[in-house]
Amino acid sequence: MKKEDNCLLYKSRSYSACVKAGYNLFTDNFRKLFSSTWILVLIVSLLKSAIEASGFSLIATIRHIEPVHMIVIYTILVLLEIVSSFILFGIIFYLFQQHKQTGTYSRCSLKGAYKGIVHFSIRSSKLFVWTILLYTPIVIATCFFAIRMIPLQFSDPAMHKYLILSILSFILFLIFYLPFVFLMVKYMIEDKSHSWSVITKGYKDGISHWGFSFAVIFLSWLITAIAVLIINMPELVIHQANIISQNGVLEGDPSGLPNYFGILVFIVSSIITFMAQYAGIAFLFPIYYMYGSIETQKIEKVDFENNIEQ
């Protein structure tokens, strides 16, 4: 019974308790999660690896002004990877929805939960569009400052000005954009809500719990970053050798790598990306409990104020 209570979504928790509960839910139910998602994770991993492989060919195409068929292939792969990611996120948040309603984490199949998965996949695509719209200003500002700083020396006063502006932009980004992480989860979990309504009505809740959200997100991100870095070590070494070889070939030097190296890179990249995908998915679990804790604290605050008035 105590373990079931610890798994409940709507329960007031500290930031460390959210992280612990999230990773406990992930590890305790990993077999169910794996059996529900491994096909989509494999597809996404293969597509990501193919995109990386075609990226090198795309560079060569541009450098040598060859036919644009690689650009077409690259674009198709990217679109397929995006669509597959939408479906994967749909499955993950469908499982979260089932856990919210029943208190248990159960396995799902594409056939048995087709409507629910499609529903959450569509919401994932809408969330993707909103994310692009929300993050576009900070991306534009970052690119603007980067372009301005490229021709400048570090001792140049203008360089110092743009560095300060970049730091201020990053601080503003943390202050104003961090609550959107809570809103994104809220939009996905509350599956009958509208995106604009969630943003306009929920942003105040996100701001009022800014410190709590930052602690959960930062700690979860740190754990995820360390895990992904460890997982990606072999791939980083192989890719570094591949990049050096590709640069040499573009400059006219013969490649010193064996003929099967490209296939080896693709296989290793696919395996490592497959593993890293689950490290990234694990990041969502503490954020899921962060949402539940904030909603619970909001309800408890309203109840407390009502009791005082009475």
Side-chain angles (χ1 to χ4, degrees):
M1 184 68 180
K2 184 177 179 181
K3 185 174 181 179
E4 292 180 357
D5 291 341
N6 290 335
C7 291
L8 292 176
L9 172 61
Y10 294 110
K11 178 181 178 181
S12 183
R13 294 177 171 89
S14 64
Y15 73 90
S16 58
C18 286
V19 175
K20 181 179 179 181
Y23 284 112
N24 282 342
L25 183 66
F26 175 78
T27 54
D28 291 345
N29 298 278
F30 180 76
R31 291 180 63 182
K32 297 176 183 177
L33 174 67
F34 184 84
S35 63
S36 301
T37 59
W38 74 269
I39 295 177
L40 263 299
V41 172
L42 179 61
I43 292 172
V44 172
S45 300
L46 292 173
L47 287 170
K48 284 182 179 292
S49 299
I51 289 169
E52 290 180 5
S54 62
F56 290 113
S57 298
L58 179 61
I59 294 172
T61 299
I62 295 172
R63 289 285 295 272
H64 290 91
I65 319 178
E66 295 177 357
V68 296
H69 66 278
M70 281 308 305
I71 298 177
V72 175
I73 294 174
Y74 186 83
T75 303
I76 293 173
L77 289 173
V78 170
L79 291 175
L80 288 174
E81 194 269 331
I82 291 173
V83 173
S84 300
S85 297
F86 289 159
I87 300 173
L88 177 59
F89 270 85
I91 295 174
I92 293 168
F93 278 98
Y94 173 80
L95 293 173
F96 279 148
Q97 181 71 15
Q98 297 303 305
H99 177 264
K100 184 190 78 169
Q101 294 175 351
T102 64
T104 58
Y105 200 88
S106 56
R107 180 185 180 277
C108 78
S109 62
L110 291 175
K111 292 183 179 180
Y114 174 77
K115 291 184 179 179
I117 293 172
V118 170
H119 172 73
F120 282 100
S121 299
I122 293 173
R123 291 181 76 83
S124 296
S125 65
K126 293 179 180 178
L127 185 63
F128 177 75
V129 174
W130 272 104
T131 302
I132 292 176
L133 294 175
L134 291 169
Y135 284 79
T136 295
I138 193 67
V139 172
I140 292 174
T142 302
C143 293
F144 173 79
F145 294 137
I147 292 171
R148 289 287 184 175
M149 287 188 290
I150 288 174
L152 300 176
Q153 299 293 328
F154 187 77
S155 58
D156 195 321
M159 171 67 83
H160 300 160
K161 180 183 73 173
Y162 287 123
L163 281 175
I164 293 172
L165 289 173
S166 299
I167 294 172
L168 290 175
S169 298
F170 178 73
I171 293 173
L172 290 174
F173 168 77
L174 282 180
I175 294 173
F176 292 108
Y177 281 74
L178 192 71
F180 283 107
V181 177
F182 161 71
L183 296 179
M184 290 173 183
V185 179
K186 181 180 177 70
Y187 171 70
M188 292 299 296
I189 297 299
E190 298 176 7
D191 63 321
K192 294 183 180 180
S193 60
H194 297 285
S195 55
W196 184 247
S197 176
V198 168
I199 292 174
T200 54
K201 295 180 180 180
Y203 188 79
K204 182 180 178 181
D205 296 328
I207 283 289
S208 62
H209 294 86
W210 190 94
F212 174 76
S213 300
F214 176 80
V216 175
I217 293 169
F218 177 77
L219 186 56
S220 303
W221 171 84
L222 186 62
I223 294 171
T224 302
I226 293 173
V228 171
L229 180 62
I230 294 173
I231 293 171
N232 281 330
M233 280 295 186
E235 185 180 16
L236 292 174
V237 174
I238 291 177
H239 272 303
Q240 186 62 31
N242 195 21
I243 290 171
I244 293 173
S245 175
Q246 289 285 346
N247 289 335
V249 171
L250 292 174
E251 297 298 329
D253 298 330
S255 175
L257 299 175
N259 295 330
Y260 60 83
F261 189 79
I263 299 175
L264 177 64
V265 170
F266 178 79
I267 294 174
V268 172
S269 177
S270 299
I271 294 173
I272 291 176
T273 304
F274 183 85
M275 297 169 62
Q277 287 288 314
Y278 281 102
I281 291 172
F283 172 79
L284 297 173
F285 284 70
I287 309 303
Y288 169 68
Y289 278 110
M290 179 191 78
Y291 154 79
S293 182
I294 291 176
E295 289 294 321
T296 303
Q297 291 172 25
K298 183 175 67 174
I299 295 172
E300 290 176 348
K301 181 180 179 181
V302 172
D303 293 339
F304 179 75
E305 291 174 349
N306 290 337
N307 291 333
I308 291 178
E309 291 177 358
Q310 295 176 356

